[in-house]
Amino acid sequence: MPAVQSWDPTTYARNARFVSDLGSPVLALLAPRPDEHILDLGCGDGALTSKLVELGCKVVGIDSSAAQVEAAKNAGLEVCVTNAEALPFSEVFDAVFSNAVLHWIKQADAMLASVWRSLRGGGRFVAECGGHGCVHRIQAALVQALERRGIDGRARIPWYFPTVEDYGARLERAGFQVDSIMLIDRPTPLPGDITGWLETFAQSFLQGLSGSERQAYLEEVRSALKPELCDANGVWIADYVRLRFSAKKPAEQR
Ligand code: BEZ
């Protein structure tokens, strides 16, 4: 049972603004130049798309969430609803950029082929997503609390957090030259209670639990995590690990 995940722009802004706020390192790795034609893959409500536009780039954003695309459109951005595995572009972009999205895409090879087709020769693919071990403790608590209810929690994991070796090999099989790829431990302070994070990012675990059942489940996960992830000041710190890479589609040999 994979993810049933929806994105509400208001809830996202409240519980997840830190995701784009922490996008500076991958933007720096992209090193966008004015006038470059860039695809923002998984643009969400367009927070980082806007930054690229401000830097003088010509940017198109795509996202699978109609609600997020609507929010980005309202911010004046050029965006459309499209799946990353079936991008409708052929050799048009100087760069494809993505922040905090690829871990939702389990069909990674189809997505990489789609990105490859969208890039012109010499174009680059620069991205950051959750990497191997990301939210390990949160995921374990979510799975275990479902298993105590006789539900297969592992079958509900909506994320794919690859190792450097796995994703590097996938990129190379898709034809990319990998210039850099690394895993980075990034414990991440949350803007509020862990429950807000769970309700925003872990919806597939909540499927079929309603009312008091859902409340009891969330409380059980929260209690299990509190000693590990809540500090002495009451700040929740999620156990994030990032995978960050820069890869290139080689220019055609003549
Ligand atoms: C993220 O947006 O980076 C993220 C989302 C869900 C789980 C882990 C990371």
Side-chain angles (χ1 to χ4, degrees):
M1 180 196 292
V4 169
Q5 175 71 38
S6 66
W7 301 104
D8 168 59
T10 310
T11 316
Y12 189 85
R14 184 170 62 244
N15 293 325
R17 178 54 60 221
F18 69 90
V19 173
S20 51
D21 288 348
L22 294 173
S24 305
V26 67
L27 269 182
L29 186 62
L30 175 67
R33 294 182 288 275
D35 288 331
E36 276 196 310
H37 201 186
I38 296 181
L39 175 69
D40 184 356
L41 188 159
C43 62
D45 63 4
L48 292 177
T49 325
S50 296
K51 288 214 164 136
L52 291 169
V53 171
E54 282 161 20
L55 291 168
C57 305
K58 288 177 267 174
V59 193
V60 175
I62 67 105
D63 203 281
S64 59
S65 161
Q68 292 281 66
V69 162
E70 194 56 32
K73 264 191 195 152
N74 291 338
L77 298 165
E78 185 183 338
V79 287
C80 60
V81 180
T82 305
N83 281 327
E85 300 91 330
L87 297 169
F89 308 108
S90 181
E91 306 204 348
V92 287
F93 293 105
D94 299 307
V96 175
F97 168 78
S98 182
N99 182 50
V101 171
L102 303 185
H103 51 262
W104 295 102
I105 302 176
K106 291 195 170 174
Q107 311 256 45
D109 295 328
M111 178 274 294
L112 291 173
S114 185
V115 169
W116 171 270
R117 282 192 301 274
S118 304
L119 283 169
R120 64 167 183 75
R124 55 210 197 280
F125 182 26
V126 178
E128 180 171 315
C129 61
H132 190 66
C134 191
V135 297
H136 177 74
R137 288 178 165 148
I138 298 177
Q139 182 176 289
L142 286 161
V143 167
Q144 284 160 17
L146 280 183
E147 282 170 354
R148 283 192 286 274
R149 288 160 173 76
I151 298 169
D152 181 358
R154 294 203 65 78
R156 295 187 175 207
I157 296 171
W159 312 302
Y160 162 52
F161 296 128
T163 60
V164 161
E165 291 72 23
D166 174 4
Y167 226 70
R170 282 182 196 277
L171 283 160
E172 284 177 357
R173 277 201 303 275
F176 289 98
Q177 174 196 311
V178 180
D179 292 327
S180 68
I181 184 163
M182 65 192 83
L183 275 185
I184 303 142
D185 265 325
R186 197 199 65 195
T188 300
L190 300 180
D193 195 88
I194 189 76
T195 311
W197 190 96
L198 298 172
E199 289 176 329
T200 306
F201 292 107
Q203 293 166 10
S204 64
F205 296 94
L206 303 173
Q207 265 175 274
L209 303 177
S210 55
S212 56
E213 254 186 338
R214 176 187 162 113
Q215 282 317 110
Y217 173 71
L218 286 170
E219 190 45 46
E220 197 173 311
V221 172
R222 183 181 189 279
S223 300
L225 291 172
K226 194 161 185 221
E228 300 180 316
L229 300 184
C230 189
D231 75 10
N233 301 315
V235 177
W236 285 87
I237 300 175
D239 49 343
Y240 273 37
V241 177
R242 314 312 287 163
L243 180 76
R244 189 182 300 151
F245 65 83
S246 176
K248 198 177 288 138
K249 175 175 179 173
E252 266 177 54
Q253 311 284 327
R254 290 188 188 273

